[in-house]
Amino acid sequence: MAVPELSLEQRQAALEKAKAARIRRAQVRNELKSGKLSLQQVLDMKDDPVVGRMKVLTLIETLPGFGKARSEKVLKELGIAESRRIKGLGDRQRKALLERLG
């Protein structure tokens, strides 16, 4: 599949949209880290087009006391792929994640 040719304006709009998405995801991670949002609340945002695309691994790494290795271990124990995104979690996976971390 070839990359579409975009005009300068279309390219600029796409860059702005991507920047806004990164800022929104960072905002959610900061609010989770500070305690303003719970893990349950973030997982409930799965229908949000920006938050739903956040990787579960990144979400777990945001939690206090969890780094890359510990987050990967939790995902492996629960049978969740490292590439899984919030919107792609099944009901059982969400429930298992909340029981383990919530």
Side-chain angles (χ1 to χ4, degrees), residues 7-90:
S7 69
L8 186 58
E9 294 82 20
Q10 290 172 322
R11 186 171 161 78
Q12 192 63 35
L15 288 171
E16 289 297 321
K17 185 177 177 182
K19 181 180 177 182
R22 286 191 305 273
I23 290 170
R24 173 76 173 119
R25 285 191 291 268
Q27 223 174 18
V28 170
R29 287 194 313 269
N30 286 335
E31 289 178 5
L32 179 64
K33 187 182 282 188
S34 69
K36 290 181 183 177
L37 287 176
S38 68
L39 182 61
Q40 172 75 48
Q41 290 172 315
V42 175
L43 291 175
D44 287 342
M45 292 183 197
K46 67 181 180 184
D47 295 327
D48 181 317
V50 174
V51 178
R53 295 181 109 174
M54 186 187 308
K55 289 191 176 184
V56 177
L57 179 64
T58 305
L59 182 67
I60 296 173
E61 288 176 4
T62 302
L63 297 171
F66 285 86
K68 182 91 172 157
R70 193 165 178 203
S71 299
E72 289 173 354
K73 183 180 175 186
V74 168
L75 288 179
K76 190 173 184 178
E77 288 173 2
L78 298 176
I80 300 173
E82 290 181 22
S83 61
R84 179 70 64 195
R85 297 185 187 273
I86 292 174
K87 70 178 177 182
L89 285 174

